[in-house]
Amino acid sequence: MSPLAWLTLAPILTPLGFGLGLLWPWRRPVRVGLALAGTGLTLAFALGLLLATADGTVLVGELGGWPAPFGIVMTADRLTAWVSVLGAVSALLAVWQAAADPDPAREKHHLFALMQFLFAGVQLSFLTGDLFNLFVAFEVMLVASYALAVLGSTREQLREGFRYIVMNLAASALLVVACGLAYGVLGTLNLAHLAQRSAELGPNTTVTAVGVLLLIVFATKGALFPLGFWLPGTYPALPPAVGTFFAAVLTKVGVYALLRVFTTVFAQEAGVTNTLLLLLGTVTMLYGALGAASQREWRRILSFLVVSSVGYLAFGLGVGTAEAVRASVGYFAVSVLVTTALFSIATVAERASGSRLVRVRGMLDALPLLAGCFLLCALTVAGLPPSGGFVAKYALVRAGLAEGSLLALLAVASALLSSLITLYAMLNVWRGFFWGQHPTWLPIYRVPRPLRASAYAASALVAGLTVFAGPLFARADATAAELRDNMRYIRGVLGDRPVVIPEPPTGEEVK
């Protein structure tokens, strides 16, 4: 493979290698150093992918020298590189948070190694060019996440972890069935070849059924209503640093799969699946916002906001126009970064108050900078100007109005109402935690400076969404245009020549 083709493997192999190295019983400073170095190197390789695909190049890494569609390939285009960078940024901030907040019990049981394996599975999910290997990537990612979900063995973790594991195992089983059906109908599992064969076959009921099955699988991974009922209970039970990465990225893996499959692979089968996505997105936005307004604990409020943000992404995908896909790609970045920042802020807030509840009051004097960071993130998640969240949500609403169908208009109404309810939920947190007079009988605990710094760094990235909204949406525009023209991806992976199926071996070849 060429050096650039190796770049498609580097963000996967790096955390995998560092994860194996972290299984050795190093002293804590060495473990922390290795974890930070591995995640930083993964981010550097992901940025390399971003630069290499900036001109529309599709990078292909062929494992074992076998070309697509017969061998296993890793692919990277603008979308893949973009989500790979976002995943690596969130991973780095999560490791920073874990390093700044020692947890001897969990670290004794390989917390840092499991996090690296989780990052490797996430990067493999983004970079694989094959539907069955997407299933393998989900399993690599989920095996690590299962261990992280129950690491610590508290009663809450075991109860919520069991629900999380059962739901994801059911979704994985359904994905295997969908892979079998896709191979039976189209004779391939390579994503580019699936797109080519699906276009040649034309509208087909069985292919549509495969698409609906895949939508159910990815909607479960992405926590769309009603398939995401497991999420608001699971994420608050996780260790803080792990919960930050889960909330910011794991649901987005499902959304990335929806983006890839329904814009690149089954683009001509969009009618039924787009309607379903629009319907699910409409309900999910409202369900998430109402859930957030009904809760009184930091992580439960934020977990429902994660659900709501997935609804906005499904809304854009369901509308399916060029402007809607562009808005979804832009909102993807907003959602990952603001979720990382809010969960990091929640970690500091909980440590300072010694409580999971937001009804503490009067923490503004003790944590003025954290209060400013929370206000910035609250404006962004609610979609108020001048935040990056406003730009993304405005683009989604405009795309929905331009589409003009009754369901799209309902989705627009749901998006606007959800934003208002989200603002109400965020103001409740502000009023309950930061505003007012702090009770003299309640202690305020000291929070390590590096832990506060991780929350400030994540918030600075959210601020960057406002400052660099122009370049962000220019990149989203180019990515959406590439997704709307799947021939570039197909030619990049399969080349210009038609795929010729080799004759089966006769046994004469060895004579």
Side-chain angles (χ1 to χ4, degrees):
M1 287 193 290
S2 68
L4 278 181
W6 275 106
L7 203 52
T8 58
L9 279 170
I12 304 163
L13 296 180
T14 304
L16 194 60
F18 274 86
L20 290 172
L22 281 164
L23 292 175
W24 187 260
W26 304 101
R27 294 174 61 193
R28 188 173 193 274
V30 179
R31 286 201 305 271
V32 168
L34 284 173
L36 286 170
T39 319
L41 206 53
T42 304
L43 175 58
F45 286 129
L47 287 169
L49 281 177
L50 196 70
L51 290 174
T53 57
D55 60 353
T57 299
V58 178
L59 293 180
V60 181
E62 297 168 344
L63 272 64
W66 289 91
F70 308 111
I72 297 172
V73 294
M74 298 297 128
T75 60
D77 60 356
R78 281 194 179 103
L79 175 65
T80 310
W82 184 231
V83 295
S84 177
V85 168
L86 290 170
V89 168
S90 184
L92 185 59
L93 288 166
V95 171
W96 181 352
Q97 196 175 321
D101 190 18
D103 186 345
R106 290 188 173 94
E107 288 176 21
K108 183 183 173 185
H109 293 96
H110 304 296
L111 173 68
F112 288 113
L114 288 170
M115 289 178 80
Q116 294 294 320
F117 294 141
L118 178 63
F119 303 154
V122 167
Q123 292 292 340
L124 180 58
S125 302
F126 292 151
L127 289 162
T128 183
D130 185 284
L131 194 58
F132 185 76
N133 282 308
L134 182 60
F135 162 75
V136 175
F138 280 166
E139 293 313 296
V140 172
M141 181 178 74
L142 291 173
V143 166
S145 71
Y146 297 155
L148 287 166
V150 298
L151 194 61
S153 302
T154 64
R155 180 175 294 182
E156 183 186 14
Q157 271 187 290
L158 294 176
R159 184 183 65 243
E160 299 299 337
F162 178 75
R163 188 158 40 175
Y164 171 74
I165 290 168
V166 169
M167 275 306 294
N168 279 285
L169 284 177
S172 295
L174 201 57
L175 180 54
V176 173
V177 173
C179 286
L181 286 173
Y183 191 79
V185 178
L186 300 168
T188 182
L189 288 175
N190 179 276
L191 295 179
H193 202 204
L194 275 172
Q196 193 181 58
R197 294 284 295 120
S198 175
E200 289 169 358
L201 199 61
N204 182 285
T205 309
T206 311
V207 175
T208 303
V210 172
V212 172
L213 271 181
L214 290 173
L215 188 148
I216 293 170
V217 172
F218 301 143
T220 305
K221 305 284 186 188
L224 282 169
F225 182 86
L227 301 167
F229 65 87
W230 51 270
L231 190 151
T234 302
Y235 287 2
L238 296 167
V242 175
T244 298
F245 185 75
F246 270 53
V249 175
L250 284 206
T251 52
K252 305 305 182 299
V253 175
V255 174
Y256 164 76
L258 287 170
L259 256 172
R260 174 60 71 201
V261 168
F262 295 112
T263 57
T264 303
V265 180
F266 298 133
Q268 77 288 347
E269 301 285 337
V272 175
T273 50
N274 278 10
T275 303
L276 283 172
L277 280 170
L278 201 47
L279 191 60
L280 293 176
T282 302
V283 182
T284 304
M285 286 184 281
L286 210 49
Y287 165 72
L290 287 170
S294 69
Q295 300 297 313
R296 295 294 176 266
E297 290 183 11
W298 273 99
R299 290 176 189 279
R300 287 191 178 274
I301 294 169
L302 300 182
S303 296
F304 273 106
L305 291 182
V306 172
V307 175
S308 185
S309 72
V310 173
Y312 281 94
L313 290 163
F315 163 35
L317 282 174
V319 171
T321 60
E323 187 179 4
V325 174
R326 167 181 171 269
S328 289
V329 172
Y331 188 74
F332 196 104
V334 173
S335 180
V336 169
L337 295 181
V338 80
T339 303
T340 304
L342 279 171
F343 271 78
S344 302
I345 290 170
T347 302
V348 177
E350 287 175 346
R351 284 290 298 272
S353 65
S355 169
R356 288 184 169 191
L357 296 172
V358 295
R359 295 292 175 98
V360 176
R361 298 188 68 78
M363 297 294 283
L364 179 60
D365 291 336
L367 299 166
L369 188 51
L370 192 78
C373 292
F374 175 79
L375 202 55
L376 169 70
C377 293
L379 291 177
T380 304
V381 79
L384 291 185
S387 68
F390 168 74
V391 180
K393 285 191 176 180
Y394 173 73
L396 280 171
V397 167
R398 198 173 62 176
L401 290 174
E403 206 274 337
S405 69
L406 178 61
L407 194 51
L409 294 178
L410 278 174
V412 168
S414 173
L416 294 174
L417 185 58
S418 302
S419 290
L420 286 176
I421 297 171
T422 300
L423 179 63
Y424 168 77
M426 291 288 98
L427 289 178
N428 260 348
V429 175
W430 172 268
R431 191 181 58 181
F433 190 82
F434 292 106
W435 203 246
Q437 186 68 37
H438 186 73
T440 52
W441 53 270
L442 270 180
I444 297 176
Y445 299 95
R446 186 179 175 279
V447 181
R449 187 174 294 173
L451 188 58
R452 282 180 283 154
S454 69
Y456 301 152
S459 302
L461 292 174
V462 175
L465 291 172
T466 305
V467 177
F468 299 106
L472 168 70
F473 276 84
R475 171 88 194 186
D477 204 16
T479 305
E482 195 171 276
L483 290 172
R484 299 281 297 172
D485 175 20
N486 65 357
M487 286 309 297
R488 180 189 285 271
Y489 181 85
I490 293 171
R491 282 196 300 269
V493 176
L494 301 178
D496 292 326
R497 290 181 295 180
V499 174
V500 177
I501 308 295
E503 293 293 330
T506 61
E508 297 295 323
E509 296 87 347
V510 295
K511 293 181 179 177

